[in-house]
Amino acid sequence: MTLGSAQVAHPPVITEEVWEAFKAVGKGTLLAAVFELNEEETELVLKTTVENNDGAWTELEKAFDPQQPAWAAISFPYKTTSGGIRSKFMYLSWAPDSLKRATFKETIRVKSIGIMQLGELSQAFAASGAKRIQANDLSDLEIDSVLSVAAKFERDEIDKSSIQRLQG
């Protein structure tokens, strides 16, 4: 999918499929759901969902196209060395530095879409207490990078082995 030159005057309409995936991630039945704009840039649509199983993080990383903005709801599970079990709800905005279009103006316009707030969806993330991550290159998507945001205020040490299964 290549975003056209349409101007987004209003936040895109959020499809029912996006809301359902958002809720499933919030309940922990999915590890993540990735969203993107449709070709006309008028609707936010579900790109893919990721089950919480072995290798899931690798699958999630592959869902982000280096030439397209995207957004994701993530339920990030981990454990602490003291035995605590955590699951942090996170909101990821993907506006890749590698994104290029025919003109500089078009490149900036499309990158801006990647970091914009998506109206109702942003409000739902804020109301849920989701931690926000702005990702601009593949290193921002690495599991250790996301873990550092998820566990930023964690008092206990993180059990790194608890996230290894996600890496496959």
Side-chain angles (χ1 to χ4, degrees), residues 58-77:
T58 303
E59 182 182 342
L60 177 61
E61 288 175 314
K62 290 177 184 176
F64 293 97
D65 183 332
Q67 293 300 315
Q68 299 297 339
W71 301 267
I74 303 169
S75 181
F76 192 86

Side-chain angles (χ1 to χ4, degrees), residues 72-134:
I74 303 169
S75 181
F76 192 86
Y78 65 93
K79 294 179 183 176
T80 63
T81 54
S82 65
I85 298 172
R86 309 283 192 269
S87 183
K88 300 290 180 166
F89 191 46
M90 307 180 82
Y91 168 44
L92 186 138
S93 294
W94 172 247
D97 290 336
S98 57
L99 188 147
K100 299 280 187 258
R101 293 294 186 265
T103 66
F104 179 73
K105 183 178 179 179
E106 183 66 4
T107 298
I108 296 303
R109 186 191 72 76
V110 175
K111 282 185 180 184
S112 298
I113 290 170
I115 59 175
M116 75 179 193
Q117 298 299 314
L118 294 173
E120 291 178 76
L121 190 62
S122 293
Q123 292 170 3
F125 276 114
S128 70
K131 294 182 182 233
R132 189 169 190 268
I133 298 174
Q134 178 63 51

Side-chain angles (χ1 to χ4, degrees), residues 18-46:
V18 167
W19 285 119
E20 292 303 316
F22 174 85
K23 291 174 194 171
V25 174
K27 291 177 185 173
T29 55
L30 290 173
L31 176 74
V34 180
F35 316 115
E36 64 184 1
L37 290 173
N38 66 351
E39 192 75 30
E40 298 78 28
E41 300 178 7
T42 57
E43 291 184 333
L44 189 68
V45 297
L46 180 64

